[in-house]
Amino acid sequence: MAQTSPNTHPGWFTRIAHPGMFMGWTRHVVLPLAIATALAFAAGLYVVFFASPPDYQMGDTVRMMYVHVPTAWLSQFCYAVMFSSAIGTLVWRHPMADVSQKAAAPLGAAFTALALFTGAMWGRPTWGTFWEWDGRMTSTLVLLFIYLGIIALWRAFDDQLKAARIVSVVTLVGAVNIPIIKFSVDWWQTLHQPASVFRTDGPTVDFSILTPLLVMTLAFSLLFLTLHLVRMRTEVTRRRIRSLELAQARAAGGAP
Amino acid sequence: MIDLGQHWEFIAATYAGSVLVIGALIGWTWSASRRARTRVARLEAARKARKA
């Protein structure tokens, strides 16, 4: 009969799920990721300001798109990460799923706020207004409120495991807003243009404008990945602090 | 530096605002991580001292 050795190399799921192992392998990943992020931003900003032409219609204001589109993409991608983590928490009770959810929420809020801000800055010279209550902009504002509500919920509970279950349910319910953001430009008459990059029939943007856009999107995505990993590591450390503080209080006879 | 055209102030505001928010996000993430690492190291040392 085959026997399992206790020294068997752990699988990828264990390496992700076990907080100690997660801290071990991510220690070697954070610095290379941070360097890759810095290099991608350096390359991206060079292409944005020195190697890309003005758009034939929008002129130089197209350079705002290189920040607006990546932040808007991350505002939704971050929610997709939280959505997957919420399923991981509720269905599999994955030990790192709620850590991932908690770490992602402030990042999602920041990128959504940036998408709204850069959109407003871009909207003034191109549409003549900073803000319009149209489908895309309003649903993105709702997304920001959802992120802020989720952050507030995390802070409202001392018991983080209980908070994780409640936040997971709210995250799953709030996910209904993501397809609304995506398809709002098709469903309603809006000032916002329809999708021009992520389309089933391929991008409609010229290559000279698509290149800086993709490089900046890569840079922002790497930034998100780096910050998310570091924040997850910090959350695991905080939980370790909590258990050490409890042990310390118990040793001092101050806690049951 | 290239000429950013007649709407340069909007482009400048977009990038300045982004740098500000991303800088704050990086700073906050880094300082929280450092605080947590310092605190856990202190607690681990205290635990070792208790056990010794």
Side-chain angles (χ1 to χ4, degrees):
Chain A
M1 192 175 125
Q3 289 199 338
T4 311
S5 158
N7 294 325
T8 303
H9 202 65
W12 67 270
F13 193 81
T14 310
R15 283 205 297 275
I16 293 173
H18 189 278
M21 286 189 178
F22 173 83
M23 293 298 276
W25 70 262
T26 52
R27 186 182 303 134
H28 308 292
V29 172
V30 169
L31 186 62
L33 260 179
I35 293 169
T37 304
L39 290 175
F41 267 111
L45 289 172
Y46 172 77
V47 183
V48 164
F49 286 110
F50 299 101
S52 81
D55 180 68
Y56 79 104
Q57 273 184 321
M58 290 184 284
D60 280 297
T61 59
V62 74
R63 296 183 207 283
M64 289 187 262
M65 180 179 74
Y66 305 134
V67 183
H68 175 68
V69 172
T71 50
W73 140 254
L74 278 179
S75 70
Q76 294 171 54
F77 177 73
C78 193
Y79 204 91
V81 169
M82 283 170 47
F83 181 82
S84 319
S85 302
I87 292 174
T89 298
L90 291 174
V91 178
W92 297 292
R93 303 199 174 203
H94 192 296
M96 294 302 294
D98 56 312
V99 173
S100 164
Q101 270 193 87
K102 194 176 177 186
L107 299 177
F111 286 121
T112 308
L114 259 184
L116 288 168
F117 169 71
T118 54
M121 288 296 116
W122 195 15
R124 184 67 183 84
T126 48
W127 301 330
T129 178
F130 285 108
W131 182 261
E132 188 67 37
W133 291 100
D134 80 347
R136 176 59 68 87
M137 286 179 252
T138 308
S139 54
T140 306
L141 184 64
V142 168
L143 179 65
L144 177 63
F145 291 146
I146 291 173
Y147 276 126
L148 295 179
I150 286 171
I151 294 167
L153 259 183
W154 276 115
R155 288 169 179 255
F157 290 89
D158 285 332
D159 181 353
Q160 292 296 283
L161 293 178
K162 188 178 176 189
R165 285 192 291 274
I166 293 166
V167 167
S168 297
V169 173
V170 172
T171 303
L172 294 184
V173 173
V176 75
N177 190 44
I178 298 298
I180 294 176
I181 296 174
K182 168 77 182 146
F183 296 110
S184 55
V185 286
D186 304 319
W187 291 341
W188 300 296
Q189 289 283 338
T190 67
L191 263 182
H192 200 285
Q193 66 181 64
S196 50
V197 179
F198 302 110
R199 295 163 57 102
T200 48
D201 55 346
T204 55
V205 182
D206 187 74
F207 187 72
S208 62
I209 284 173
L210 188 63
T211 306
L213 182 59
L214 291 180
V215 177
M216 286 298 275
T217 303
L218 174 74
F220 272 95
S221 302
L222 285 171
L223 175 71
F224 167 74
L225 202 60
T226 311
L227 291 177
H228 189 224
L229 270 187
V230 173
R231 295 185 67 85
M232 281 179 76
R233 286 174 58 80
T234 304
E235 183 57 27
V236 171
T237 308
R238 279 187 185 140
R239 290 178 186 197
R240 175 83 182 135
I241 289 171
R242 225 163 288 138
S243 64
L244 284 170
E245 281 175 343
L246 269 178
Q248 195 176 47
R250 234 177 266 128
Chain B
M1 189 67 183
I2 57 147
D3 176 19
L4 292 177
Q6 58 171 326
H7 298 300
W8 68 270
E9 62 270 50
F10 293 101
I11 303 170
T14 296
Y15 281 87
S18 303
V19 167
L20 203 71
V21 171
I22 290 168
L25 207 55
I26 292 171
W28 177 38
T29 302
W30 183 76
S31 71
S33 162
R34 202 181 152 172
R35 267 201 313 275
R37 275 185 283 133
T38 309
R39 177 83 182 126
V40 84
R42 203 172 296 153
L43 286 166
E44 297 273 15
R47 190 178 71 149
K48 273 184 193 153
R50 271 201 316 274
K51 282 186 175 174

